[in-house]
Amino acid sequence: MSKKSRLDLMKMKEKGEPVAWITAYDFPTASFAEQAGMDMILVGDSLGMVLLGYKGTVSVTMEECITCCKAVRRGALNTFCIGDMPFMSYQISDEDAVYNAGRFLKEADMDAVKLEGGRRVITRIKAIADAGILVMGHIGLTPQSSGVLGGFKAQGRDPKSAKDLIMDARAIEEAGAFALLLEAVPPELTEFIAKDLSIPVYSIGAGAPCDGQLLICGDMLGLFQAFTPKFVKKYANVAEVEIEAFKTYIEDVKTGKFPEDQHCYHILPETAEEYQKMLEELKRK
């Protein structure tokens, strides 16, 4: 399996072949995703909730993102991986944005970065792209600014807000982004934007008519239990499997069923006599 490039993703859009990608934050998940043939992996700032137990994404730091990106790259050497720029890693200035975007490539070997926002962050997107770094835009429901949006709510459901998102999408493409992620917007708007832009347009809860689908691994695998967004399809319930396994383990320990002899390392047979003698000598009198 060879790693996809920006050109491969463009060809997939042209051929109408949808991209399948998920978030991952650790070595095992990234490894399993690559073995399954995943097209891309996003090391999302959703790691704050799914992995670290934060109430949202705002608390996530650059160091936490970089650490997770390194782990994902080690697990998925041949998969196109994107680092998600956390809150306040790009909001202050273009210079900060370029510096922090560069860290994802230099320190974690990511292939691209993603940041949230439309026209309000256009200079950031352009600066990162001008620095030679692939950057993906992200509009619609943007979790880092969910407070401004009034919570985790779908966006673009009326003509005015939909028009704003179309203007954002066009500006993001013009600024040099290689792709765009739409979150929690109507499929009618997703279809319009996907046809309107020449770059790939992907969906997370934005319907089917676009160039590919993203899901958060914790949601699709049933690992994250706090809430499940409407747009998620659960492909497994790993939490239930883990809880049952833990219950069985606890029961085995309490009742003496674990460990059994097969789980033990025994002394070397040829030293058995000497071993027992040593233990007898060291017994407390």
Side-chain angles (χ1 to χ4, degrees):
M1 174 180 172
S2 59
K3 184 196 296 186
K4 289 180 171 59
S5 68
R6 176 185 185 177
L7 295 180
D8 293 321
L9 298 172
M10 283 297 298
K11 287 177 183 176
M12 291 176 75
K13 177 182 176 75
E14 292 163 5
K15 292 189 299 183
E17 179 185 351
V19 167
W21 54 311
I22 61 162
T23 65
Y25 320 107
D26 55 49
F27 175 89
T29 306
S31 177
F32 301 151
E34 179 161 293
Q35 291 177 57
M38 203 68 66
D39 293 310
M40 296 195 298
I41 292 174
L42 170 67
V43 188
D45 62 357
S46 48
L47 67 91
M49 293 179 287
V50 178
L51 189 68
L52 302 177
Y54 297 154
K55 64 179 181 180
T57 62
V58 171
S59 300
V60 177
T61 67
M62 271 294 296
E63 301 311 318
E64 289 165 341
C65 286
I66 294 293
T67 296
C68 289
C69 284
K70 287 180 177 180
V72 166
R73 175 51 77 206
R74 288 191 289 267
L77 294 173
N78 299 307
T79 303
F80 190 94
C81 291
I82 304 165
D84 207 3
M85 299 191 69
F87 184 64
M88 296 310 292
S89 68
Y90 59 92
Q91 281 89 348
I92 296 173
S93 68
D94 293 351
E95 290 75 18
D96 269 2
V98 172
Y99 175 79
N100 286 317
R103 288 191 63 191
F104 280 98
L105 275 64
K106 285 178 66 69
E107 299 177 36
D109 195 24
M110 292 290 99
D111 298 293
V113 297
K114 179 183 76 64
L115 56 79
E116 295 182 5
R119 283 163 289 178
R120 61 185 173 82
V121 295
I122 284 304
T123 64
R124 310 291 191 263
I125 293 173
K126 186 176 188 308
I128 293 171
D130 286 348
I133 300 170
L134 290 178
V135 55
M136 177 185 288
H138 177 176
I139 57 174
L141 171 55
T142 46
Q144 291 177 13
S145 53
S146 59
V148 176
L149 299 175
F152 288 86
K153 298 180 178 180
Q155 303 295 307
R157 301 181 72 183
D158 62 87
K160 183 181 182 304
S161 61
K163 181 180 179 180
D164 283 340
L165 289 174
I166 292 169
M167 294 299 103
D168 281 340
R170 289 175 176 175
I172 287 169
E173 179 179 35
E174 290 170 7
F178 82 96
L180 174 65
L181 178 64
L182 295 176
E183 180 167 358
V185 303
E188 296 86 352
L189 179 58
T190 300
E191 182 176 23
F192 180 92
I193 292 175
K195 290 179 177 178
D196 187 59
L197 302 189
S198 63
I199 59 174
V201 175
Y202 303 121
S203 159
I204 178 167
C210 59
D211 303 308
Q213 299 294 323
L214 168 68
L215 280 179
I216 292 174
C217 64
D219 291 336
M220 69 172 296
L221 295 175
L223 280 166
F224 184 66
Q225 296 182 301
F227 62 89
T228 301
K230 176 184 178 180
F231 58 78
V232 170
K233 179 177 179 179
K234 281 193 175 183
Y235 288 83
N237 195 336
V238 177
E240 186 176 285
V241 173
E242 288 195 20
I243 292 169
E244 286 305 310
F246 292 152
K247 285 181 177 179
T248 303
Y249 165 68
I250 292 168
E251 178 67 17
D252 282 358
V253 170
K254 300 291 187 183
T255 59
K257 291 181 180 179
F258 178 84
E260 299 174 76
D261 187 68
Q262 62 181 312
H263 305 122
C264 299
Y265 300 98
H266 292 288
I267 62 177
L268 298 174
E270 63 271 22
T271 67
E273 186 177 339
E274 181 183 355
Y275 205 100
Q276 290 302 323
K277 182 179 179 182
M278 177 272 296
L279 293 178
E280 287 295 327
E281 290 175 351
L282 293 179
K283 273 186 178 178
R284 293 182 185 273
K285 305 301 182 184

